[in-house]
Amino acid sequence: MFGYIRPEAGELKVKEFGRFRACYCGLCHELGRSYGFAARFILNYDFVFLAMLLWRGAPRYETRRCAVSPACGRCVCASSPALERCAGYSVILAYWKLCDSVADEGLFASLGARLKRFALLRPYRKAAARWPRFDEAVKSKLTELNGLEKTGETSLDRAADKFASLLSAAAEDEPSADAQRAEAQLLYHAGRIIYIADAYQDLGEDMKRGRYNPIASRFGLRAPELSAEERETVRLSLENSLGLMASAFELMPSNYWSGALRNIICVGMPGMCRQVLCGTFENRREGAPRLRGRISAQQIGDEE
Amino acid sequence: MNDPYTVLGVAPNASDDEVKKAYRELARKYHPDNYHDNPLADLAEAKMKEINEAYDEIVRTRSGGGGGSSYSSYTSSSSSRAGASSDPVFAQVRAAINAGDFARAEQLLGTSSSRNAEWNFLMGSVCYKKGWVDDARSYYQRAVSMDPGNGEYRQALSYLNMGGYPYRDSGYGPPDTGLDACDVCTSLMCANLLCRCR
């Protein structure tokens, strides 16, 4: 259920796009540095968003090479507290999601998940030791979510609440209580949107395999087809959460990444929701954000 | 108090019109109507107050001591639930909701024996405040169908159906109404074809 939080690249300034890509690459390098090569494969846009949200001050940039751009390297964000935190969080979340898939599927079907989990075991132990509070929150919320899935929870909100509160647990250590509240609300609704959009996206697949799907059980579906009225109901839930997310964002102190964050919240995510609802959203395997030509460190600009 | 120009995000040498425009923009963003039933309404109200004060301050210094002219109506519309409850438990629930104590409100509703229209409405209110829009809508719809004459219930349902905070009004147009690259290319190609016809 990753990769739903992304910017609308066409609406970003070139400068903001370059910064966003530098942050994406920075997170990838951070994962490699702290948790080893295998951990770099769990990189996704959602945690880039989180890193930008939790960032304090301005980033430092440096040029680094990697397997994707071996020749002259790329301008990436140097290690920072926000990147360290998000790298740890993404390892923890990925590990518990894999545990979930291992438990859900049969011995052979889960072989891939088992292997991946094994590869992430050491990184996970390291991350959990560093961020015990987030680890605890993820573990307890996913266990509760599992419980709801077993009983076939019919309330979409109740099921979404678990994943949403899991994500809002990432809001901590804000300088002021007000900012913390706003951030928690923003992340809560981001989590809700991801959960509902993912359920909508997986509806057909889940029903074919007889898995629990919150939207199917909300409407008591027999076939993976929603009536216009049911679709409207889902749209309304997404729309309200988008609004609550944006309203919380406006109350947070602005930071270095505000331009890209506003793009994600006000354009990227509404666009994603529309695409999911009309069935044109493709959760493709993401590479680094692409743009023709190179963006130099000067173009990223640090005058702000 | 912070520098009023910083609060409005304009330069100290900005023209009166620029200041007014910046003020209007911010006032629209943090207007209490946008934060109706939003758990962060108090933060928005504080922000609104700060903006009003900053604007008044600038107007006062520029006009050399004249009165301020911010929209005073913007500050004074904190919403309160004015519904009357015949049941004392429901009155307590309303008080708990207004105080932001949703756990207590839910607990009181859980122990209440009646499941009438007002119970459904209050359950809906608690859900709505928590951001559980789907459940809130079901409860509100039930409340309205049990007591169609009640304006409070109908108003809550219609507000919910409008979709809450207007996130689109933030400087960006919705992406799907803009021109995309293909549109531009096809129209240029058509234009090119026409130009070549002699």
Side-chain angles (χ1 to χ4, degrees), chain A residues 8 11-12 16 155-158 161 178-179 181-182 185 188-189 192 218-219 229 232-237 239-244 246-251 259-260 262-263 265-267 270-271 274, chain B residues 29-30 34-35 37-47 106 123 127-139 141 159-168 170-176:
Chain A
E8 181 69 43
E11 295 275 350
L12 278 174
E16 286 167 348
S155 160
L156 183 57
D157 291 329
R158 237 171 252 284
D161 174 62
D178 289 352
R181 266 176 66 204
Q185 171 164 322
Y188 182 88
H189 287 282
R192 244 177 83 85
R218 157 73 174 84
F219 298 111
E229 193 190 333
E232 177 61 20
T233 308
V234 177
R235 193 190 64 80
L236 205 67
S237 281
E239 194 87 346
N240 259 287
S241 282
L242 285 167
L244 286 165
S247 71
F249 176 68
E250 299 298 354
L251 290 168
R262 175 162 285 117
N263 172 296
I265 291 167
C266 299
V267 191
R274 267 196 300 277
Chain B
K29 198 189 267 184
Y30 297 107
N34 291 337
Y35 285 83
D37 272 343
N38 191 319
L40 302 176
D42 56 324
L43 299 185
E45 205 174 314
K47 190 94 184 165
E106 247 177 326
M123 263 321 256
C127 287
Y128 191 57
K129 290 254 182 175
K130 288 201 295 187
W132 295 20
V133 179
D134 194 32
D135 283 358
R137 190 156 173 251
S138 309
Y139 283 120
Q141 279 171 340
Y159 186 79
L160 185 150
N161 283 336
M162 280 181 340
Y165 189 82
Y167 59 85
R168 280 196 201 84
S170 51
Y172 288 110
D176 55 357

